[in-house]
Each structure stands twice: as structure tokens, then as C-alpha cells.
């Protein structure tokens, strides 16, 4: 009856909450036959009822720490509602059973064995605890008799923590007068004879005699004992603690052994699991986070970013992780406010549906930026803290170069920030430092290899590359791959011919073709061109080289586009660093450095978890340049976030620069490799930038805005909306609905904001809304969030802009003509040579990543608005083969910024007393 009732309840749960199932976990240590039997009974009952049961089996070599770690993981798993540890623990190592049972979260302790549940039972809090399954089953059997418990005299024989003691408490709080007896009770027969209700759990065969029992009593026999019986094949039979044959003549009701209390114990375990699932549903909806949001105290005028950041106390990051459904062993804490998330989370959630995918981009900006990061944070705060949707922001990690240079930090601003902002803008968890180390290891390997090949014979190189250890030579795995690439299918180092040795040991790098540079995460203009190898020990081998900023390293782009450790390792190995004198590409794998790079990057691949001012979760991961790279945060962060938010949730990511650059690369490169399909584009526009595109004077960082930007000018604004119209069209080319976010500044008039909204809708935007999130936090982006929700419900007919099989020149032309408005392209001789070279080397089918100015749709930063009819010059083309794209260079640009006259670091200081960072990021 109990099982049928539970089965129906589970069906009703599934109907009300599709996809939901009560979850039971059974943790076993060792391999005892009796435990295996009991567990199989439980698993069978769970399957019959519709409970999702998971049997976790640890070996008998498991330590106490192993068991506690497993318990911590199950405690944090939202899919597990009931959780039992099968006793006894069959381990070779000493394990404290009390410590283990108390480690189980009380709200999941369906065995009712933890001290907290036992304590609640002993004081009568029956509605707020789990009762051990055997006493609970006994009580259900007593109720089935129809005899009222209240006022009856009850006797419990046995005082164990599992049956006797909780049975006493349960009868007592059901208003029986209860006596507990045990093996030392001197008047046991007399006490038993007084019982209207008798529960025996002493563990002694037929200890209670039939003649002791009061006529008409209810007898519950919990004992399971084996006694000799020559008539049985096994030579023994099972009996209870009560002499059944005589007791049944006096009792009104009696449970048989076996087949009485045992099946009820299993049924009660199932009932407690279903009850736990019901409690879970009362607290949380499946897939709906139970998240604590921070209440903002808004001030006018809006204080500085650092002051706002400091005014808000962030939640402990392990709390944020728990709120969004991450398990404890999936989170690696870096202090109280940041953590790394293990990729195992993605594997665990692989069958979960993805949420809605939103990309924030912008019109062509002024040098000051138009607030994409602020809008991204404001939108997620609105969706989460105000509209109570599951939502994640996924943003890039900023480089320390611009942080200490002219741009400052990138944590958003006003009441829309990722916090703590100083952690966000500085070292974070060291990912950029790992990229610096990995990149420079490759650079060192390139020059060292050239040097050694110039100064050694083939045999000397071979002896050093494949040394004899204890008289035995052996190829490493990476050397086997190189041999296979050369078409040499040999694994015995002594079997190579002289010609094969020559091919194997000589990469024969042409120094003039080296494209791999050293990097540093600091703006330093004096490293843009350097000479290396000037020490006498380098024997005259010197060459001109340069330093780039770390975030421009191909390894950063590899990190951002990888979808796992294996994929990252393969991409790292494919990175082309130069060409040989025969014109063949030389890769990191050829240098033998792939494995070392993967080791350096093994932690950097884990996304970093932080939070916004209002307590919504943020992944901060990867920060590739938006010109020579694709300018988007990591694929892995997006994929994990999309699983965590669930089908009805939202993931909001940001694409660097304007829609013509960051958004185009988001679609054609990032979405190509991730396989993800976006639902909505949010296009950020400002009155200031649109006036600039209408012909307003130049906007320069660090210089007060000209009066044209401080006064209402509808004509100038309307003219500048040509850029907005073009960027809306650019987004629509990919088949995704566009919502325009008009980021309002205090100098904007109502008429100006209304005009932008009107013209955006006329240009084909799904919606356009005014946003005041900088001054009001999520509250100021509620209208934007609601528009995004509506847009996400419309059909998205996503499509790529070009076919990868097109020739390289044609792919560049498609982007130039359709996205930028050019009439055609012009390849300079060096670029034409690279097209021929890369096509010959087999890289012609890679996506295109245009490296051009972000300050204009054209190649000329002075051309504002939406220019047309121009010829786009392609100066050169380079390859990021590991990342997976070719990047044409449009005009000149530096990959190592310089410091201005007055860098941002003038305003940054440390308070020695408190250890706090002061100043403005």
C-alpha cells in the first residue's frame, strides 16, 4: 500500500514539474554480502516507485577522509534528496561511524541517524526531522491496526540508536506511556506483560516468550536471528526476538519474521525520500535557484566606482557556488570572493538543457567606450535580482596593461560592477600569468632550437634529443608524433637512417618567418622592437624581435576557444610559430613543448567564479584581444553557465568593441567552434557616440567633452544614427533578434533618448529601451531585461555569414562588403603572399578574424557614421592555427600599448594599515 501510494505521488510530482524525480543516494563502503542484499532490495523498491537511485560503492581500502569527501559531494548535489550510508562500514581502515552519520546533511538524512535528527525526534519536533526507517515502519504497522496509540501502555525492548531509542521517542510523542527495557532489566517478563503495544529489538533469538505477552497486545518483532535447523538446506532458519508460535496465540496483531518489519523498513526509506523531495519542491522549484540577492543603497550623486564596490559586502563565493547548483568538489576556492570551477561540472550537467544565450555588443564606440560591460552587469542584475530568473554573466578578464595605463579597469561601473573590483582588475587567479609563462616558454624554445641546430651535428642533436638512459634509447610520445608527421613509422631509435635522423632533428626554422613573440602583461612601448641574442654565449646568433601584451598571445585565444583539456592540448600543439626553410609550418608540437604548455595551462582552463554588486553570479574567463583575436570570453564558461541556468534561464556574454568586430567574430568564430546558437543580441548605444558619428568633434580620453555633447542637438544625433542602423543590420544578417539598449548619461535629454529609441525601432530592432543601470543598478535595466525575455521567445534563425570552404580572399571580401560597407578589398603584396602560403599549408578553410580599428566601420578611424564605397586595404595576413583563424591586418596597429603621460597607476595606492587597495580603476 505504501509503495503504491508513493508511486502515485511521484507521478504527480513529474506531472507538475516535468523532468523532476526524487533522488536517493546509497553510499556503501566495502562489499559485504548482507549489505549488497539490503541495497539491492532498496534499489529495486526505488525503481518500482520511480525514485532515481544511485549506488556509490567505495572499496574496503577507503579511508575516513574518502568517505567524508564523498558525503560532502552528495550533500551538495541538488539532485539527491535522500541519502543513506549503508552500515556497517566494511573498511580495512579505522572509520568513526558516528562522525560519518553526522556528516550527512540533516535535510537529506532519510535514515534519521544524525544527531540533529535524533535530537529533534527526542524533543518532539516530528514534522521537522527524519525518523529512522525501522521505527517509522513499526509505527505505520501499529497505525494499520486501527488501534489508537494515545493512552496505551507501550514497552520497547532494546535501546539501540537505530531502533530502540527512537521507537521510545516516537511512541512517547504519539501519547503512549512508554517503558524501555533491555537485557539487564530484571523484571522483563513482568514489564512485557503490561504492554498494550510491544516492540522488541533486542537482537536475541526468541528472547520474549509467548506466555509473557498480554492477551490482545500488538507485537512488533524487529529481530532477525539465525538458529540451527537440520531440516533446512542451509542448516539454519531465521527467527525473531519473540517466540512467534506461542506469542501469536495471545497477540491480537503480530509481525512475522521474516517478511514483517523488514519490507516496511525499506518502504519507509522510500517514503522519507519522497517526503524529502516534497520539502525540496516547497523550498525550490526544480531548476530555480534559491539565491540571496544584495540590496543596493543608491546614492545621488553616484559615488566613485571603488566607493560603491567597497560599500557592498560580497557573499562568500562558496555560497554563490552552492546557490547556482555547483557541488563542493567542483569548486576550488581562491580566498573568500573568487573560485575556479572544475570542468567536471560540465560533464555532470551534460544532459541538462541549455538556457537562453544573449550577446551584448555595441555601436562603433568613442575612445571612452559606451558601457557594454556596465550594460552586461546591469542586465544580469535586472534579470536575476529583480525578475528572479536564473542568470549568469560571462565576461573577459581584463589585462593589467590597460588597468595601469589609460583605460583603467573593466569591471563595469556605477551600480553595475563585478566585485571585488580590485580582485577582478588585478591578478584574479593567475590565468594571465600562466599564459605569459606558457607563451614565453614557446619563444625560448624557438630561439634555443635554432641555436642548437646551428652549433651541432645531426648525430650530436640526436644524442641529446633521444638520450641513452641506462643503455636504452626511447622516443617520447611527442617525438613519436613528430616521426609520424614526417612519415617515419618507426618506434626504435636505433632503426632510423641518417636521412631520417636529419629530418627528425632539424626543424630548419627560417628566422625571417618567426611569428611568435614574447609577451608581458604591462604596457611598455620600448619593447615594441628589440634585439635578442647579444650575449657572447649566443655565438653571434641575434635577431630583431618584439614583445606583445599577454592578452594578444595566441595562447589566450586558444584558452578562450577550447572546450576541454584535450581540445586545448591539441590546439596548443597546432600553434604555428614559424616556417621552415622548405616553407613548411613549424608547430609547438614540433618543438616538443605541447605537454609542458598543457601543464602550465591546466588550472587556467577552469572558469573563474565571481559575483555582481547585487549578488548574481559571474564567470570571468579569458580575455583575448578584439582586433588580432576574437575578443570574447571563453566557450567553456558559456557552456557551463548555460547548463547551470537551465532551460528558462539566461547567460549574458559580452563581445569586444563594436558589433562590426566583436559580434561578427562571436558569431563566425566563437559560435562556429562552440556549436552554441544565440537567442538575442543586445546592442548598446549612447547619445554621445551617435553625435560623434553625426559629425560632432573628436572625443578624447582625459579631455573634457566639447559643448556639442553637453547640449541637446537632435539634428546631429539623427545623422549619427546611421551607425546605429548599420550595426542593427549587421546583427540581423545572422538571423538573431536585436534589442537596443540606450545607455543614458546625465547630459542626455529626454528628447534625445526618445529619438534614439524611435529610430532604432524604425531600423528594425525588436525593441529599444532607455537604460539607467549605471545610476540605479539592476532596477535601471528592468525594461531592457523584459525586452530581452520577449525577444528570446521569438524564433532565432541563426546563420553564419560565410561558408568556410570559400577561398580566403572571398571570405575577407564578404566581411568587408556586408559588415563594413566597403565596395571591395585590396591585398598588398605581403598579404597576397600569405594567402598563397596559408592555402598551400592547408589553413585556407579557417575562419577569418579581421584586425582593424574599432573606431570606425572602415579602416580609417576618422571616418564616422556608416561610410560606404571605400576600398579596404589588407596589409598582411597572419595565422593563429591553434586558436583556429587567420587574421588579416587592416592598416597598422600595435600589439604592445604604451603608457600615457599620466597613467592610471598615479591614482592607485595601498593602505598599509588595512591592506586595502585605494584609488580608481
Amino acid at each position: 500500500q505504501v509503495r503504491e501510494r508513493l508511486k502515485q505521488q511521484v507521478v504527480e510530482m513529474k506531472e507538475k514539474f516535468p523532468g523532476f524525480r526524487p533522488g536517493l543516494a546509497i553510499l556503501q563502503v566495502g562489499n559485504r554480502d548482507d549489505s549488497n542484499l539490503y541495497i539491492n532490495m532498496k534499489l529495486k523498491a526505488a525503481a518500482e516507485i520511480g525514485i532515481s537511485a544511485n549506488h556509490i560503492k567505495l572499496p574496503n581500502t577507503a579511508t575516513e577522509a574518502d568517505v567524508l569527501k564523498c558525503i560532502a559531494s552528495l550533500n551538495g548535489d541538488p539532485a539527491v534528496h535522500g541519502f543513506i550510508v549503508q552500515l556497517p562500514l566494511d573498511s580495512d581502515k579505522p572509520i568513526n561511524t558516528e562522525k560519518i552519520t553526522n556528516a550527512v546533511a540533516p535535510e537529506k538524512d532519510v535514515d534519521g541517524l544524525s544527531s540533529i535528527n535524533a535530537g529533534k525526534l527526542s524533543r518532539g519536533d516530528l514534522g521537522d526531522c527524519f525518523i529512522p526507517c525501522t521505527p517509522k515502519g513499526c509505527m505505520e504497522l501499529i497505525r494499520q491496526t486501527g488501534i489508537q496509540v494515545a493512552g496505551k501502555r507501550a514497552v520497547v525492548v532494546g535501546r539501540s540508536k537505530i531502533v530502540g531509542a527512537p521507537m521510545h521517542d516516537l511512541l512517547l510523542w504519539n501519547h503512549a506511556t512508554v517503558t524501555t527495557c533491555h537485557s539487564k532489566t530484571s523484571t522483563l517478563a513482568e514489564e512485557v506483560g503490561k504492554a498494550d503495544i510491544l516492540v522488541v529489538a533486542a537482537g536475541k533469538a526468541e528472547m520474549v516468550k509467548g506466555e509473557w505477552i498480554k492477551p490482545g497486545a500488538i507485537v512488533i518483532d524487529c529481530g532477525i536471528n539465525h538458529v540451527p535447523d537440520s531440516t533446512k538446506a542451509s542448516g539454519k532458519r531465521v527467527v525473531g526476538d519473540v517466540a512467534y508460535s506461542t506469542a501469536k496465540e495471545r497477540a491480537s496483531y503480530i509481525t512475522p519474521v521474516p517478511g514483517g518489519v523488514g519490507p516496511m523498513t525499506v518502504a519507509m526509506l522510500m517514503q522519507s525520500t519522497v517526503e524529502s523531495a516534497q520539502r525540496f519542491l516547497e523550498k525550490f522549484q526544480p531548476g530555480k535557484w534559491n539565491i540571496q540577492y544584495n540590496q543596493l543603497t543608491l546614492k545621488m550623486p553616484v559615488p566613485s566606482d571603488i566607493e560603491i564596490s567597497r560599500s557592498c559586502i560580497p557573499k562568500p563565493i562558496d555560497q554563490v557556488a552552492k546557490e547556482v547548483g555547483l557541488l563542493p568538489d567542483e569548486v576550488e576556492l581562491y580566498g573568500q570572493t573568487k573560485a575556479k570551477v572544475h570542468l567536471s561540472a560540465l560533464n555532470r550537467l551534460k544532459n541538462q538543457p541549455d538556457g537562453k544565450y544573449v550577446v551584448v555588443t555595441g555601436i562603433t564606440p568613442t575612445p571612452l567606450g559606451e558601457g557594454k560591460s556596465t550594460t552586461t552587469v546591469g542586465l544580469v542584475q535586472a534579470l536575476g535580482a529583480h525578475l528572479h530568473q536564473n542568470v549568469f554573466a560571462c565576461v573577459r578578464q581584463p589585462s593589467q596593461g590597460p588597468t595601469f595605463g589609460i583605460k583603467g579597469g573593466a569591471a563595469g561601473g556605477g551600480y553595475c560592477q563585478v566585485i571585488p573590483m580590485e580582485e577582478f582588475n588585478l591578478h584574479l587567479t593567475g590565468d594571465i600569468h600562466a599564459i605569459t609563462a606558457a607563451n614565453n616558454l614557446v619563444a625560448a624554445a624557438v630561439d634555443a632550437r635554432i641555436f642548437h641546430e646551428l652549433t651541432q651535428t645531426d648525430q650530436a642533436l640526436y644524442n641529446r634529443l633521444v638520450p641513452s638512459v641506462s643503455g636504452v634509447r626511447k622516443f617520447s610520445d611527442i617525438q613519436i608524433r613528430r616521426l609520424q608527421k614526417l612519415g617515419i613509422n618507426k618506434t626504435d631509435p636505433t632503426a632510423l637512417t641518417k636521412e631520417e635522423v636529419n629530418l627528425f632533428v632539424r626543424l630548419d626554422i627560417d628566422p625571417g618567418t618567426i611569428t611568435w613573440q614574447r609577451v608581458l602583461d604591462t604596457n611598455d612601448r620600448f619593447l615594441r622592437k628589440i634585439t635578442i641574442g647579444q650575449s657572447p654565449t649566443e655565438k653571434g646568433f641575434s635577431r630583431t624581435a618584439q614583445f606583445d601584451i599577454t592578452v594578444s598571445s595566441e595562447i589566450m585565444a586558444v584558452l578562450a576557444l577550447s572546450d576541454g583539456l584535450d581540445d586545448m592540448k591539441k590546439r596548443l600543439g597546432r600553434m604555428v610559430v614559424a616556417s621552415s626553410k622548405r616553407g613548411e609550418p613549424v608547430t609547438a608540437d614540433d618543438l616538443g613543448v605541447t605537454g609542458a604548455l598543457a601543464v602550465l595551462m591546466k588550472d587556467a582552463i577552469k572558469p573563474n567564479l565571481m559575483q555582481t554588486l547585487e549578488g548574481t553570479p559571474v564567470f570571468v574567463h579569458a580575455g583575448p584581444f578584439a582586433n588580432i583575436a576574437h575578443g570574447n570570453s571563453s566557450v567553456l564558461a558559456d557552456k557551463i553557465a548555460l547548463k547551470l541556468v537551465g532551460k528558462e534561464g539566461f547567460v549574458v556574454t559580452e563581445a569586444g568593441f563594436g558589433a562590426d568586430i566583436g559580434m561578427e567574430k562571436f558569431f563566425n568564430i566563437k559560435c562556429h567552434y562552440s556549436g552554441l546558437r544565440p537567442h538575442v543580441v543586445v546592442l548598446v548605444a549612447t547619445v554621445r557616440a551617435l553625435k560623434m558619428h553625426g559629425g560632432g568633434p573628436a572625443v578624447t580620453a582625459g579631455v573634457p567633452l566639447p559643448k556639442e555633447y553637453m547640449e541637446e542637438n537632435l539634428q546631429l544625433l539623427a545623422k549619427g544614427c546611421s551607425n546605429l542602423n548599420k550595426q542593427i543590420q549587421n546583427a540581423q544578417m545572422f538571423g538573431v533578434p536585436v534589442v537596443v539598449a540606450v545607455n543614458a548619461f546625465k547630459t542626455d535629454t529626454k528628447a534625445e533618448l526618445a529619438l534614439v529609441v524611435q529610430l532604432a525601432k524604425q531600423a528594425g530592432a525588436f525593441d529599444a529601451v532607455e537604460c539607467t543601470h549605471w545610476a540605479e543598478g539592476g532596477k535601471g535595466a528592468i525594461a531592457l531585461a523584459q525586452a530581452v525575455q520577449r525577444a528570446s521567445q521569438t524564433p532565432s534563425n541563426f546563420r553564419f555569414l560565410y561558408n568556410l570552404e570559400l577561398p580566403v580572399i572571398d571570405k575577407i571580401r564578404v566581411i568587408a562588403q556586408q559588415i563594413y560597407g566597403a565596395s571591395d578589398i585590396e591585398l598588398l603584396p605581403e598579404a597576397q603572399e600569405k594567402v598563397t602560403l596559408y592555402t598551400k599549408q592547408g589553413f585556407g578553410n579557417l575562419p577569418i578574424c579581421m584586425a582593424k580599428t574599432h573606431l570606425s566601420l572602415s579602416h580609417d578611424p576618422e571616418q564616422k557614421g556608416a561610410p560606404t564605397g571605400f576600398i579596404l586595404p589588407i596589409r598582411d595576413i597572419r595565422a593563429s592555427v591553434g586558436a583556429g583563424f587567420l587574421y588579416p591586418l587592416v592598416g597598422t596597429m600595435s600589439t604592445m600599448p604604451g603608457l600615457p603621460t599620466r597613467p592610471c597607476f598615479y591614482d592607485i595606492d595601498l593602505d598599509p594599515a588595512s591592506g586595502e587597495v585605494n584609488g580608481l580603476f
Side-chain angles (χ1 to χ4, degrees), residues 483-504:
L483 288 167
Q484 290 170 345
K485 179 179 176 180
L486 294 169
I488 303 170
N489 296 313
K490 296 178 180 178
T491 56
D492 180 1
T494 64
L496 268 63
T497 65
K498 285 186 177 181
E499 291 76 15
E500 289 170 340
V501 167
N502 174 268
L503 282 172
F504 174 73

Side-chain angles (χ1 to χ4, degrees), residues 320-600:
V320 176
K322 184 177 181 181
E323 288 174 341
V324 303
L326 288 165
L327 305 185
D329 60 359
E330 293 170 344
V331 181
E332 192 175 324
L333 301 180
Y334 280 64
Q336 293 293 310
T337 56
K338 53 191 178 180
K340 279 197 165 292
V341 174
H342 290 241
L343 306 190
S344 58
L346 185 58
N347 187 56
R348 174 176 65 87
L349 299 166
K350 62 185 176 184
N351 295 322
Q352 292 279 80
D354 287 345
K356 303 292 196 304
Y357 198 26
V358 180
V359 59
V360 176
T361 185
I363 62 169
T364 305
T366 68
L368 305 180
E370 308 317 308
K372 289 195 311 296
S373 298
T374 307
T375 301
T376 298
V377 176
L379 174 57
V380 297
Q381 289 183 162
L383 283 165
H386 298 270
L387 299 182
H388 306 293
Q389 301 295 306
N390 293 357
V391 62
F392 239 106
C394 292
V395 299
R396 289 185 292 167
Q397 180 184 352
S399 164
Q400 283 179 191
T403 295
F404 289 117
I406 195 169
K407 182 177 183 291
Y415 286 102
C416 297
Q417 297 183 47
V418 180
I419 58 170
M421 67 180 304
E422 59 268 38
E423 297 284 352
F424 177 88
N425 284 306
L426 295 175
H427 307 282
L428 197 57
T429 57
D431 294 351
I432 291 180
H433 300 315
I435 292 166
T436 303
N439 184 99
N440 292 343
L441 180 62
V442 177
V446 169
D447 289 309
R449 188 58 176 262
I450 294 173
F451 172 78
H452 291 307
E453 289 186 22
L454 285 173
T455 57
Q456 296 180 54
T457 65
D458 289 358
Q459 193 58 47
L461 284 168
Y462 193 62
N463 289 342
R464 288 175 171 84
L465 287 170
V466 194
S468 176
V469 180
S470 301
V472 178
R473 287 182 190 267
K474 186 180 178 182
F475 290 125
S476 67
D477 290 344
I478 203 165
Q479 289 175 328
I480 294 287
R481 289 204 298 271
R482 170 146 176 81
L483 288 167
Q484 290 170 345
K485 179 179 176 180
L486 294 169
I488 303 170
N489 296 313
K490 296 178 180 178
T491 56
D492 180 1
T494 64
L496 268 63
T497 65
K498 285 186 177 181
E499 291 76 15
E500 289 170 340
V501 167
N502 174 268
L503 282 172
F504 174 73
V505 301
R506 296 204 176 272
L507 300 181
D508 208 19
I509 293 170
D510 179 354
T513 66
I514 296 172
T515 55
W516 197 269
Q517 309 298 344
R518 288 162 173 82
V519 297
L520 188 70
D521 195 33
T522 300
N523 289 7
D524 191 346
R525 64 186 344 116
F526 288 94
L527 293 177
R528 289 172 179 169
K529 189 172 183 179
I530 60 173
T531 302
I532 61 171
Q534 297 189 81
S535 169
T537 55
E538 273 54 76
K539 301 180 181 179
F541 171 66
S542 64
R543 67 181 181 89
T544 301
Q546 69 186 57
F547 268 82
D548 295 335
I549 198 160
T550 298
V551 291
S552 71
S553 169
E554 183 177 350
I555 295 177
M556 176 64 90
V558 165
L559 174 67
L561 290 170
S562 296
D563 70 358
L565 274 168
D566 184 57
D567 182 48
M568 180 180 73
K569 186 177 176 182
K570 289 175 180 174
R571 287 174 180 271
L572 291 170
R574 290 198 300 264
M575 295 185 306
V576 174
V577 300
S579 292
S580 71
K581 290 172 183 173
R582 296 184 298 275
E584 296 165 349
V586 177
T587 66
D589 220 41
D590 293 325
L591 288 166
V593 76
T594 305
L597 298 180
V599 169
L600 285 169

Side-chain angles (χ1 to χ4, degrees), residues 89 128 151 374 516 578 724:
L89 300 167
D128 189 34
T374 307
W516 197 269
L724 173 64

Side-chain angles (χ1 to χ4, degrees), residues 150 221 237 321 545 562 646 833:
D221 187 352
R237 62 187 170 90
S562 296
E833 288 173 13

